[in-house]
Amino acid sequence: MKKYDYYRPSSFVSKRTPRRRGKGLKRFSIILFSLFILAAVCVGLSKSYKAYASSDLSNWQPKKVEVRGAEGALYKELQSLGKSKLNKPFTAKQAADLQEQLVKKYPMLREVNVSRGLFSDALKIHVERRSPVAKFVLPGGTVRYIDNDSTVYADNSAVLENPVPFVELEGKVPEKLSGEFVELVQNTLRLEKELSFAFLRFNLTKDAVSMHMPDGTVIEFGPARQLKEKSRRAAQIIDWCRRNEKGPQKMDFRFFENGQVFLTQIDQ
């Protein structure tokens, strides 16, 4: 029997893809170029800083003072403080230090910004005053104000655009009062006709609030909690008393959480 040898080529012949050396070289060149640019930027920044430090900019001196956001005595004080820095080297660190000093010295300021006008030669002092929602008289006769973020502060040169409620404080006064107490004051301003009070009294030791009305009505709110709801209920009761010709009342809100408000007729 005759044997035959046949050569059968494979139906699939793998083709080797030639390596593209140019592509890898191109990627390497891009990375190398990027590193070179980064190094150049770093060197440039370093030299620029040295040039800045040795130039007149680092020895910047203000020629004038620009004060914004202040009026009256406060404006004059800030102007005088700024003028003491004129024609003297004034660095960015000195500006930051001065800003911090002003924040501590003037608690009536909500915002303080001190900056150097490098192209205007002006020392810029921009401030924003707090807007009081109530005026406090402490036991010793000292006057304090409170703004809408509950901060208690002194302001000897206060110029009030609108009258604010009068509040008596008893006990030690913290830097911040209860947010609910501020809410009570603001709420009574909204209910001016119903709760146009003569004065508020806040006992900080007992955490108790009382309101005295011009007609002699006394509202004992008790603890400084749920004051917004209590003031609304008090307004409703006062309105009912007026419509029914009832005289001044003493309202006791100590059991308000149980849904009860006690009324006592005040003899005139």
Side-chain angles (χ1 to χ4, degrees), residues 60 64-67 113-117 120 122-126:
W60 181 83
K64 57 184 178 179
V65 182
E66 180 182 300
V67 177
N113 182 266
V114 177
S115 60
R116 305 183 304 164
S120 63
L123 172 58
K124 299 180 180 181
I125 304 176
H126 297 177

Side-chain angles (χ1 to χ4, degrees), residues 46 51-52 55 87 124 137 158 160 188 214 234 242:
S46 176
Y52 168 80
S55 68
N87 302 314
K124 299 180 180 181
V137 178
L160 305 179
T188 52
R242 288 173 179 170

Side-chain angles (χ1 to χ4, degrees), residues 77-95:
E77 289 182 24
L78 295 178
Q79 273 280 350
S80 177
L81 185 62
K83 287 181 179 179
S84 67
K85 311 295 182 182
L86 295 181
N87 302 314
K88 300 176 184 177
F90 193 75
T91 64
K93 184 180 184 305
Q94 287 176 301

Side-chain angles (χ1 to χ4, degrees), residues 140-154:
T142 306
V143 176
R144 291 288 184 272
Y145 296 91
I146 183 170
D147 67 355
N148 52 14
D149 71 353
S150 308
T151 299
V152 179
Y153 61 96

